[in-house]
Amino acid sequence: HVQLVESGGGSVQTGGSLRLSCAASGIAASRICMGWFRQFPGKEREVVAAVDAAGRAAYVASVEGRFIASQDKARNILWLQMDNLKPEDTGLYTCGATPVSSGCQSYVYWGHGTQVTVS
């Protein structure tokens, strides 16, 4: 079965950096698109970065210029480099995957998430 396992979260000070990783297994990298999401307490999950089948990333406006999503399809890993972190970036960051066959529209596979805290 498909598994997504995140790592790399933690606590940093404002202006600091973290690098998250998401390792996918149980499905070929060529069959999925992947993305990063985050959830703030009491809020709905929002997309942070979505990577399409060609490897192009699109970002939510609040992280543009600060976060970079990259992918190693050979190892089926997705990273999120987060620089110049702000307190409002604090949240649970989750990796998601969506089948290419569905046009990379509906995310159906999810990791458990990794907490990012910026103070």
Side-chain angles (χ1 to χ4, degrees), residues 2-4 22 24-25 27-37 45 47 49-54 56 71 73 76 78 94-111:
V2 179
Q3 278 192 308
L4 303 176
C22 173
S25 61
I27 190 167
S30 59
R31 293 180 58 195
I32 53 173
C33 295
M34 298 176 72
W36 285 102
F37 296 76
R45 182 164 51 198
V47 61
V51 182
D52 68 15
R56 295 170 298 222
Q71 194 171 21
K73 290 223 170 187
N76 216 350
L78 179 71
T94 304
C95 174
T98 170
V100 171
S101 60
S102 72
C104 297
Q105 294 297 312
S106 300
Y107 284 76
V108 296
Y109 305 114
W110 299 98

Side-chain angles (χ1 to χ4, degrees), residues 38-63:
R38 65 185 178 188
Q39 188 168 19
F40 306 124
K43 302 282 187 167
E44 294 288 319
R45 182 164 51 198
E46 68 170 16
V47 61
V48 176
V51 182
D52 68 15
R56 295 170 298 222
Y59 303 91
V60 66
S62 59
V63 308

Side-chain angles (χ1 to χ4, degrees), residues 44-91:
E44 294 288 319
R45 182 164 51 198
E46 68 170 16
V47 61
V48 176
V51 182
D52 68 15
R56 295 170 298 222
Y59 303 91
V60 66
S62 59
V63 308
E64 280 273 12
R66 300 188 298 124
F67 291 11
I68 297 176
S70 59
Q71 194 171 21
D72 183 340
K73 290 223 170 187
R75 292 195 287 164
N76 216 350
I77 296 176
L78 179 71
W79 289 283
L80 184 67
Q81 177 66 41
M82 305 187 295
D83 297 323
N84 191 20
L85 282 160
K86 304 176 181 181
E88 52 264 41
D89 293 318
T90 294

